[in-house]
C-alpha cells in the first residue's frame, strides 16, 4: 500500500492515529480523561487508547449541533452538498489508511476493501439528491391552496456498528446532513478509528463547526445519553436487536424521537433443483464467509431441495473452504479473525451448541481469534443455532422437499432482514419474492448484494423504518401541512 500526497500514511502505516473526540469542529480529550483500549484481534497488540465520551461530552456535542443547525439548514442543497462532495474525494484518496485502520481494529482484511469507495459513493449520491427533499401541493379542497413542507428535524443522532463502520456512517450521516440536520454520531467501541479519520477529513472538506460531531464510546454511556436526549429529534441505529429495543424504549420514554433501526438477521437462502448450482454454491458461500460471517444479512440458513442436496453440499464446501486465513494486513488474506475476544468466544459457544444439536460436516475449529468456515447439517428448526444470530462463518444447511415446506421453514424466524431464492422458474421466483418475510429478497443472488436506489431494512425484529437513496432523505425530514384559504 502506498501513500497520498499530504496523507499521514507512510510505509504501510499511519504516522499518527487520531483518538480524541470530535466536537464543534475540533478534536478534544474526554471531559473526565477516560480511555478504552483497541487491540488488533489477530495478534492482540495494543493499537490505540481511545478517549471515551462521557455524558458531559455527549451533552456538549448535542448542544453545539443544535446551535449550528439553523445556519446549516438555511443553506441551499447546493451549498450543503459542497463539503459532502469534497469529503467523498478525500475518502477515496485515503483508502489505504482507512483499510489499515479497520484491519488493526476489528480484523477486516485489506484485500478487497472497498468500504471507503462505497462511503464516497453514498456521500456523492446524497449530495446530488438534496433537491428531492420537497413536499406536494393540493387544490382538492375548494377555496384553498394546500401544500406540505418537508423540513429537517434539527439534531440527528447516529449509532453505528463495528462490522462495516464507514458504510453505515455514510448511509446515515450523508442524508441527515444534506436535508439540513446536524449530526452527533457514536461509533462502536470495537472499531472507532475510521470514524475519527473521517472526522479529520471533514475538516479538510470544509464542514462548518458543530455540523458533524463524532464520539467514541460504549452504548451504556454516550449511546444511552443520545437515545434519551430531549434535544435529539431523530436517531438512526444499526446493530443488534437487543440494543435496538433499548434505544426504541429510551426514545419513547424521552421525547418520542423518530427512530430508524436496522437490526439483526438470520437470513435464509433456498436452493431449488433447477438452479445453477455452481453459482448458487459460490454466492451463498461468499455471503456467509465475507467479513468472516460478521454481517447482519449473511445467509446463515440454507435450505436445499432433496434431489440435489448432496451435489450442492459438495460444491458449497469447496467454495466455502477456499480461504486464505491470516494477518488481515496481508494482501493475500481474505478471511480475518473475529472482531475481538468477546465475539470469538460467542461464536465458539454457538459451535459447541451446534455439535449437540446437529451434524458438523465441515470446519468447527477456532484458534487465536480465527474461526474456520463451519457447516452444520441435520439441524432441527428449533435448535439454538437455527434461531439466534451467530455473527460468524457458521451456516446450517437443511433439506426440503416441497415449495410449501421451504417457505414455511425459511419464515420460521423472528428475523426478517434478507432472504434469497435460487431457481430458473420465474413463477416460482415471484411466489417466493412475495411469500418470504424479509425486507430484501434476492433472486439468483444473495447478500451482500443490495440495490443502491432501493429501500433497505427489516421485517419483524430486524428493524423499523428504511434506509436507501430516497428513503433516507425522507426519513430525516419532518412533514408539515399548510392550509391557505383563498378569499
Amino acid at each position: 500500500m502506498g501513500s497520498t500526497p499530504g496523507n499521514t500514511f507512510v510505509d504501510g502505516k499511519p504516522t499518527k492515529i487520531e483518538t480524541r473526540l470530535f466536537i464543534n469542529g475540533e478534536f478534544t480529550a474526554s471531559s473526565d480523561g477516560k480511555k478504552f483500549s483497541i487491540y488488533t484481534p489477530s495478534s492482540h497488540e495494543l493499537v490505540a487508547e481511545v478517549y471515551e465520551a462521557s455524558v458531559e461530552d455527549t451533552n456538549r456535542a448535542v448542544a453545539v449541533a443544535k446551535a449550528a443547525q439553523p445556519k446549516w439548514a438555511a443553506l441551499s442543497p447546493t451549498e450543503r452538498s459542497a463539503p459532502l462532495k469534497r469529503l467523498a474525494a478525500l475518502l477515496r484518496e485515503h483508502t489505504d489508511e482507512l483499510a489499515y485502520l479497520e484491519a488493526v481494529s476489528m480484523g477486516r482484511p485489506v484485500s478487497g476493501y472497498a468500504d471507503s469507495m462505497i462511503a464516497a459513493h453514498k456521500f456523492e449520491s446524497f449530495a446530488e439528491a438534496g433537491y428531492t427533499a420537497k413536499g406536494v401541493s393540493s387544490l382538492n379542497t375548494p377555496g384553498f391552496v394546500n401544500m406540505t413542507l418537508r423540513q429537517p428535524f434539527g439534531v440527528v443522532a447516529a449509532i453505528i456498528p463495528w462490522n462495516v463502520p464507514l458504510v453505515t456512517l455514510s448511509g446515515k450521516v450523508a442524508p441527515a446532513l444534506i436535508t439540513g440536520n446536524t449530526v452527533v454520531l457514536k461509533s462502536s467501541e470495537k472499531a472507532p478509528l475510521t470514524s475519527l479519520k473521517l472526522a479529520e477529513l471533514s475538516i479538510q472538506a470544509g464542514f462548518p463547526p458543530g455540523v458533524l460531531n463524532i464520539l467514541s464510546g460504549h452504548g451504556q454511556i454516550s449511546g444511552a445519553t443520545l437515545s434519551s436526549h430531549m434535544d435529539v429529534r431523530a436517531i438512526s441505529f444499526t446493530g443488534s436487536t437487543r440494543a435496538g429495543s433499548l434505544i426504541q424504549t429510551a426514545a419513547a420514554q424521552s421525547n418520542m424521537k423518530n427512530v430508524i433501526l436496522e437490526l439483526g438477521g438470520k437470513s435464509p437462502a433456498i436452493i431449488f433443483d433447477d438452479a445453477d448450482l455452481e453459482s448458487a454454491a459460490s454466492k451463498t458461500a461468499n455471503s456467509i464467509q465475507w467479513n468472516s460471517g460478521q454481517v447482519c444479512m449473511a445467509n446463515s440458513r440454507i435450505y436445499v431441495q432433496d434431489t440435489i442436496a448432496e451435489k450442492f453440499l459438495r460444491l458449497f464446501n469447496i467454495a466455502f473452504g477456499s480461504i486464505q486465513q491470516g494477518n488481515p494486513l496481508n494482501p493475500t488474506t481474505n478471511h480475518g479473525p473475529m472482531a475481538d475476544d468477546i465475539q470469538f468466544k460467542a461464536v465458539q459457544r454457538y459451535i459447541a451448541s451446534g455439535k449437540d444439536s446437529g451434524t458438523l460436516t465441515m470446519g468447527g475449529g477456532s484458534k487465536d481469534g480465527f474461526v474456520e468456515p463451519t457447516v452444520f447439517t441435520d439441524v432441527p428448526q428449533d435448535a439454538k443455532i437455527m434461531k439466534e444470530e451467530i455473527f460468524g462463518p457458521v451456516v446450517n444447511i437443511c433439506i426440503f422437499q416441497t415449495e410449501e415446506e421451504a417457505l414455511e421453514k425459511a419464515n420460521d424466524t423472528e428475523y426478517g432482514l434478507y432472504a434469497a431464492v435460487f431457481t430458473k422458474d420465474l413463477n416460482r421466483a415471484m411466489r417466493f419474492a412475495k411469500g418470504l418475510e424479509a425486507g430484501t429478497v434476492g433472486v439468483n443472488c444473495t447478500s451482500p448484494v443490495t440495490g443502491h436506489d432501493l429501500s433497505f431494512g427489516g421485517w419483524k425484529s430486524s428493524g423499523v423504518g428504511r434506509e436507501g437513496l430516497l428513503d433516507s432523505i425522507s426519513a430525516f425530514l419532518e412533514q408539515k401541512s399548510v392550509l391557505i384559504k383563498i378569499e
Side-chain angles (χ1 to χ4, degrees):
M1 294 192 286
S3 61
T4 302
N7 204 339
T8 57
F9 193 70
V10 179
D11 297 329
K13 292 184 179 181
T15 56
K16 68 181 182 68
I17 295 177
E18 184 58 68
T19 62
R20 294 168 294 174
L21 312 176
F22 185 66
I23 303 174
N24 205 28
E26 297 179 338
F27 286 100
T28 180
S30 55
S31 59
D32 56 10
K34 288 186 178 179
K35 300 179 181 180
F36 60 93
S37 302
I38 299 293
Y39 297 93
T40 184
S42 57
S43 64
H44 293 88
E45 295 177 18
L46 180 66
V47 175
E49 296 279 356
V50 180
Y51 283 95
E52 168 143 20
S54 65
V55 172
E56 179 182 338
D57 297 320
T58 309
N59 287 336
R60 187 165 79 87
V62 173
V64 300
K66 184 179 180 181
Q69 195 271 331
K71 188 175 180 180
W72 176 251
L75 298 176
S76 71
T78 297
E79 292 169 315
R80 290 196 295 266
S81 73
L84 271 71
K85 292 178 178 179
R86 287 193 291 268
L87 179 58
L90 290 167
L91 287 170
R92 289 192 172 95
E93 290 177 16
H94 290 261
T95 291
D96 287 349
E97 185 173 357
L98 293 163
Y100 174 91
L101 292 173
E102 290 202 9
V104 297
S105 60
M106 55 74 62
R108 176 78 177 275
V110 297
S111 66
Y113 181 82
D115 292 32
S116 58
M117 299 300 182
I118 296 171
H121 182 235
K122 285 181 181 290
F123 273 104
E124 287 174 337
S125 298
F126 283 112
E128 292 295 334
Y131 280 99
T132 67
K134 52 188 178 182
V136 298
S137 62
S138 170
L139 297 176
N140 292 329
T141 304
F144 284 82
V145 174
N146 297 334
M147 67 183 71
T148 61
L149 305 180
R150 304 302 306 275
Q151 296 175 278
F153 282 98
V155 178
V156 167
I159 301 177
I160 63 172
W162 47 264
N163 59 336
V164 281
L166 272 187
V167 173
T168 47
L169 181 153
S170 59
K172 299 179 190 303
V173 169
L177 291 180
I178 196 61
T179 49
N181 300 280
T182 51
V183 176
V184 179
L185 178 135
K186 189 198 86 68
S187 61
S188 168
E189 71 278 4
K190 295 184 182 183
L193 302 182
T194 50
S195 296
L196 292 174
K197 181 62 186 179
L198 182 141
E200 181 183 313
L201 298 178
S202 75
I203 299 174
Q204 297 180 47
F207 284 96
V211 168
L212 174 61
N213 306 274
I214 294 181
L215 308 177
S216 307
H218 291 77
Q220 66 269 29
I221 303 173
S222 48
T225 303
L226 290 173
S227 301
S228 60
H229 204 293
M230 295 298 291
D231 287 334
V232 171
R233 294 298 173 181
I235 186 166
S236 181
F237 168 78
T238 296
S240 72
T241 299
R242 177 183 173 276
S245 178
L246 293 173
I247 288 170
Q248 190 170 40
T249 299
Q253 291 177 344
S254 53
N255 60 351
M256 296 295 294
K257 57 179 62 68
N258 193 62
V259 177
I260 306 160
L261 303 174
E262 195 265 283
L263 308 176
K266 196 66 178 174
S267 303
I270 304 164
I271 319 296
F272 282 96
D273 59 8
D274 65 339
D276 181 334
L277 294 188
E278 289 191 1
S279 175
S282 174
K283 290 172 180 174
T284 52
N286 176 68
S287 175
I288 190 62
Q289 184 271 325
W290 184 74
N291 204 16
S292 300
Q294 299 171 123
V295 183
C296 53
M297 56 182 165
N299 49 217
S300 54
R301 298 180 296 141
I302 301 177
Y303 296 97
V304 187
Q305 197 158 19
D306 56 350
T307 52
I308 46 92
E310 185 177 338
K311 181 179 180 181
F312 176 83
L313 185 60
R314 183 172 64 254
L315 292 170
F316 181 89
N317 285 349
I318 292 171
F320 196 30
S322 299
I323 62 166
Q324 293 293 324
Q325 177 178 293
N327 185 342
L329 291 172
N330 188 324
T332 64
T333 297
N334 68 356
H335 189 81
M338 297 292 96
D340 62 6
D341 284 343
I342 295 174
Q343 187 62 22
F344 175 64
K345 291 175 182 177
V347 176
Q348 282 185 310
R349 289 193 295 271
Y350 278 113
I351 291 175
S353 174
K355 291 176 180 178
D356 292 334
S357 57
T359 301
L360 179 66
T361 60
M362 176 181 169
S366 55
K367 184 179 180 181
D368 297 331
F370 290 87
V371 175
E372 296 176 345
T374 299
V375 178
F376 286 102
T377 58
D378 306 316
V379 182
Q381 278 289 114
D382 61 354
K384 184 176 183 179
I385 60 169
M386 287 288 279
K387 293 294 187 182
E388 299 182 12
E389 186 176 36
I390 298 174
F391 229 62
V394 182
V395 62
N396 304 312
I397 299 182
C398 305
I399 296 173
F400 71 88
Q401 294 180 325
T402 67
E403 282 192 26
E404 294 76 14
E405 178 190 2
L407 187 61
E408 180 182 0
K409 288 182 175 179
N411 288 337
D412 184 21
T413 175
E414 187 50 39
Y415 293 107
L417 187 59
Y418 199 111
V421 58
F422 288 82
T423 180
K424 295 177 182 176
D425 185 329
L426 178 59
N427 291 320
R428 175 190 284 154
M430 292 309 299
R431 286 194 295 271
F432 273 77
K434 180 181 178 182
L436 287 164
E437 297 171 352
T440 297
V441 176
V443 177
N444 295 322
C445 63
T446 188
S447 61
V449 175
T450 58
H452 170 66
D453 57 343
L454 296 181
S455 302
F456 184 78
W459 284 30
K460 302 186 284 190
S461 292
S462 285
V464 176
R466 291 293 182 269
E467 295 181 312
L469 187 59
L470 297 181
D471 294 84
S472 291
I473 292 287
S474 179
F476 292 118
L477 291 169
E478 276 282 27
Q479 184 163 293
K480 178 189 295 178
S481 294
V482 179
L483 314 177
I484 305 173
K485 183 71 173 71
I486 304 299
E487 298 295 341

